[in-house]
């Protein structure tokens, strides 16, 4: 097994979390939010930050019980039983496969837009293939290599964002924030309440990804102590970052923000000239690259945890002599590559919008269950205020699901049904005594 020095320390976990959350959304999000709510989108973002932090606090509390890989899968399994654990775990793996395929092609598309010689479907497939194969090999080499690359990319992609904020704050025009709720919001479909709901859903998905850092607990130093602290730290940093980026975009661009396809690039270009646009473009590519690294690292760990519990073929649990899940890395890479080549990942990505809540709801519920079931166990972190925050998180998740489009719900529920045959295979193996229960948490 790998030595402690090769595992993720506290700040490496924080960077992994930031990397998993801060993707292309932060570079494209301000225009869509402003078009729906104007400057009042800042208030909606603050509302979403509160809701996302409530859910993240639930993850922080239950993460303190576990040292195994699996994250939400383990929480659901030990609180709600094998069936829900299976559904959460396998769907989580599928979502990561899709997300990696989407981000690999997204990187290739963005690179092609910046360098015309690399554009076109053929070059898109070539670049996506290189990314997935290269990151799979790096994963097999070991955690230390992935940790170094993740830290480097995450810090690098944050530099353009911090530069944009620091320099942009001096170029803000205060009149761009008035009126705070523009007339077009009141005249929109559903009025202010309808615009608020649409904006809340849009901005909330910019926070998704924080649940991923709990998946690879075995590759982290002292996960019971470090994971809860890291999750809270990540959410605070990301929330502040998002608020400042959106405020600077509004303050510089005003109403023109609503129709701009690359708001950060345009805003920084207005301040610093052409090189400012290229500086932010570099940040966009680094951001996409960072998400690719995070997904390539987390996907195999989910598959391995499921395989160790007999819910996926046992071969996926095979590790190298230095501890990396070699078969799971290869299989995850192959499936992601096939999705990237298929071109159908755009529709499949709709699953991730709804299936995220298959991670959130069971985890929030598990806080309440573990308070009774494991009341005697020591926990590194406990949410203050009793069950108020978990209940808020549960209601929020249900509200978000109720606002989702019908086709998103169909895709998400369809995913739950499609994977059922695998669960019945698991039950059959369990009845025949072919599965050894894993006692370790």
């Amino acid at each position: 097994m790998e030595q402690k020095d090769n595992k993720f320390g506290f700040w490496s976990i924080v960077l992994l979390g930031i990397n998993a959350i801060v993707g292309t959304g932060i570079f494209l999000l301000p225009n869509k939010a402003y078009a729906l709510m104007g400057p009042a989108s800042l208030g909606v973002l603050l509302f979403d930050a509160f809701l996302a932090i409530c859910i993240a606090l639930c993850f922080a509390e239950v993460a303190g019980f576990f040292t195994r890989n699996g994250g939400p899968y383990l929480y659901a399994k030990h609180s709600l039983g094998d069936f829900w654990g299976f559904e959460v775990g396998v769907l989580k793996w599928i979502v990561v496969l899709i997300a990696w395929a989407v981000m690999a092609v997204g990187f290739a598309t963005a690179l092609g837009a910046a360098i015309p010689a690399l554009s076109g479907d053929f070059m898109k497939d070539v670049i996506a293939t290189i990314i997935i194969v290269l990151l799979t090999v790096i994963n097999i080499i070991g955690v230390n290599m992935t940790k170094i690359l993740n830290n480097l990319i995450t810090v690098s992609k944050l530099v353009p964002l911090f530069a944009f904020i620091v320099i942009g704050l001096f170029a803000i025009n205060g009149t761009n924030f008035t009126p705070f709720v523009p007339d077009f919001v009141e005249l929109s479909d559903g009025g202010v309440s309808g615009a608020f709901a649409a904006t809340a859903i849009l901005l909330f998905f910019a926070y998704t990804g924080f649940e991923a850092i709990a998946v690879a607990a075995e590759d982290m130093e002292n996960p019971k102590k470090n994971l809860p602290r890291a999750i809270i730290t990540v959410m605070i940093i990301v929330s502040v970052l998002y608020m400042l980026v959106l405020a600077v975009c509004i303050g510089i661009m005003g109403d023109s923000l609503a129709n701009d396809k690359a708001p950060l690039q345009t805003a920084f270009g207005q301040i610093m000239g052409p090189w400012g646009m290229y500086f932010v473009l570099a940040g966009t590519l680094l951001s996409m690259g960072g998400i690719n690294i995070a997904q390539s690292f987390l996907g195999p760990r989910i598959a391995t945890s499921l395989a160790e519990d007999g819910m996926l073929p046992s071969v996926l649990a095979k590790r190298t002599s230095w501890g990396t899940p070699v078969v799971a890395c290869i299989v995850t890479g192959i499936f992601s590559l096939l999705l990237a080549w298929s071109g159908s990942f755009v529709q499949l990505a709709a699953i991730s919008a709804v299936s995220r809540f298959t991670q959130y709801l069971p985890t929030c519920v598990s806080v309440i269950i573990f308070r009774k079931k494991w009341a005697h166990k020591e926990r590194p972190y406990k949410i203050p205020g009793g069950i108020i925050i978990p209940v808020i998180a549960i209601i929020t998740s249900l509200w978000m699901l109720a606002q989702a489009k019908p086709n998103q719900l169909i895709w998400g529920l369809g995913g739950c049904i499609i994977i059922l045959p695998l669960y019945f295979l698991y039950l059959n193996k369990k009845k025949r005594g072919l599965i050894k229960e894993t006692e370790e948490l």
Side-chain angles (χ1 to χ4, degrees):
M1 295 296 289
E2 292 182 298
Q3 300 298 314
K4 181 179 179 180
D5 289 344
N6 287 339
K7 294 195 174 187
F8 280 68
F10 173 75
W11 286 109
S12 289
I13 300 172
V14 169
L15 289 175
L16 180 66
I18 294 172
N19 199 3
I21 299 173
V22 181
T24 54
I26 189 60
F27 293 92
L28 305 175
L29 162 145
N31 58 338
K32 297 177 182 177
Y34 189 91
L36 288 168
M37 254 335 246
S41 55
L42 281 167
V44 183
L45 184 60
L46 186 62
F47 170 78
D48 274 346
F50 169 73
L51 299 180
I53 288 172
C54 284
I55 296 174
L57 288 174
C58 294
F59 275 82
E61 177 166 330
V62 296
F65 289 116
F66 299 87
T67 58
R68 283 184 62 210
N69 288 344
Y73 153 65
L74 290 177
Y75 314 154
K77 182 176 185 292
H78 287 277
S79 62
L80 298 170
D82 283 353
F83 175 75
W84 288 110
F86 171 84
E87 286 282 349
V88 168
V90 177
L91 277 178
K92 177 63 180 173
W93 189 40
I94 292 172
V95 167
V96 170
L97 294 176
I98 296 168
W100 190 9
V102 170
M103 293 314 302
V105 174
F107 181 92
T109 303
L111 190 61
I115 305 173
L118 299 178
S119 62
D121 290 340
F122 174 74
M123 289 307 300
K124 178 192 70 176
D125 289 343
V126 170
I127 295 168
T129 300
I130 292 172
I131 291 171
I132 292 173
V133 171
L134 180 62
L135 290 178
T136 298
V137 172
I138 290 173
N139 253 315
I140 294 172
I141 291 173
V143 171
N144 198 41
M145 179 69 73
T146 305
K147 179 181 71 173
I148 293 170
L149 188 58
N150 175 79
N151 292 353
L152 179 63
I153 291 291
T154 305
V155 172
S156 298
K157 81 177 182 182
L158 289 177
V159 169
L161 287 175
F162 284 133
F164 174 78
I165 291 168
V166 173
I167 297 173
L169 285 172
F170 293 97
I172 286 178
N173 182 352
T175 60
N176 287 337
F177 294 92
T178 56
F180 193 65
V181 181
D183 293 339
F184 69 77
V185 176
E186 296 180 8
L187 298 174
S188 64
D189 185 24
V192 175
S193 60
F196 182 94
T199 310
I201 295 166
L202 170 71
L203 294 179
F204 181 81
F205 288 115
Y207 283 98
T208 58
F210 63 84
E211 74 279 2
I213 62 175
V215 165
E218 289 177 33
D219 296 294
M220 298 174 180
E221 294 176 15
N222 195 1
K224 288 188 176 183
K225 177 183 177 182
N226 284 335
L227 264 178
R229 292 166 51 225
I231 290 171
I232 295 169
T233 303
V234 166
M235 294 309 296
I236 292 172
I237 292 172
V238 169
S239 296
V240 173
L241 185 68
Y242 280 10
M243 289 292 293
L244 289 172
V245 166
L246 182 56
V248 170
C249 282
I250 294 171
I252 294 174
M253 300 183 67
D255 291 342
S256 65
L257 173 61
N259 300 312
D260 197 289
K261 294 182 179 180
L264 271 73
Q265 286 178 237
T266 302
F268 211 41
Q270 289 182 16
I271 305 171
M272 306 301 294
W275 81 266
M277 297 181 67
Y278 290 116
F279 187 61
V280 174
L281 174 61
T284 305
L285 292 173
L286 284 168
S287 184
M288 290 182 177
I291 292 287
N292 273 278
I293 294 169
Q295 302 298 345
S296 70
F297 176 74
L298 297 168
R301 272 74 187 175
I302 300 168
T304 300
S305 183
L306 290 163
E308 287 173 345
D309 288 345
M311 293 186 176
L312 286 178
S314 58
V315 68
L316 291 171
K318 182 176 176 59
R319 297 175 183 265
T320 61
S321 58
W322 52 91
T324 56
V326 57
V327 177
C329 284
I330 294 171
V331 172
T332 297
I334 290 172
F335 280 138
S336 295
L337 190 57
L338 292 174
L339 283 168
W341 287 344
S342 72
S344 63
F345 62 88
V346 174
Q347 289 185 337
L348 290 172
I351 299 174
S352 67
V354 172
S355 60
R356 294 282 184 182
F357 290 98
T358 65
Q359 322 294 311
Y360 299 155
L361 273 169
T363 300
C364 297
V365 170
S366 70
V367 173
I368 300 172
I369 294 174
F370 289 152
R371 289 276 180 97
K372 294 181 178 180
K373 181 179 179 180
W374 289 344
H376 62 287
K377 289 193 175 186
E378 180 184 356
R379 60 195 75 207
Y381 173 76
K382 185 175 182 179
I383 303 171
I387 63 169
I388 294 175
I389 289 179
V391 168
I392 290 174
I394 291 168
I395 293 172
T396 301
S397 296
L398 291 173
W399 180 76
M400 288 290 187
L401 280 174
Q403 306 304 315
K405 296 178 181 178
N407 66 315
Q408 291 178 322
L409 290 171
I410 291 170
W411 275 104
L413 294 175
C416 295
I417 296 170
I418 289 170
I419 63 176
L420 276 177
L422 292 174
Y423 179 70
F424 291 119
L425 288 175
Y426 160 76
L427 283 182
N428 183 48
K429 288 191 292 183
K430 192 172 182 179
K431 288 178 181 177
R432 292 161 56 196
L434 300 177
I435 294 175
K436 182 180 179 182
E437 291 290 336
T438 304
E439 299 295 332
E440 182 186 3
L441 296 178

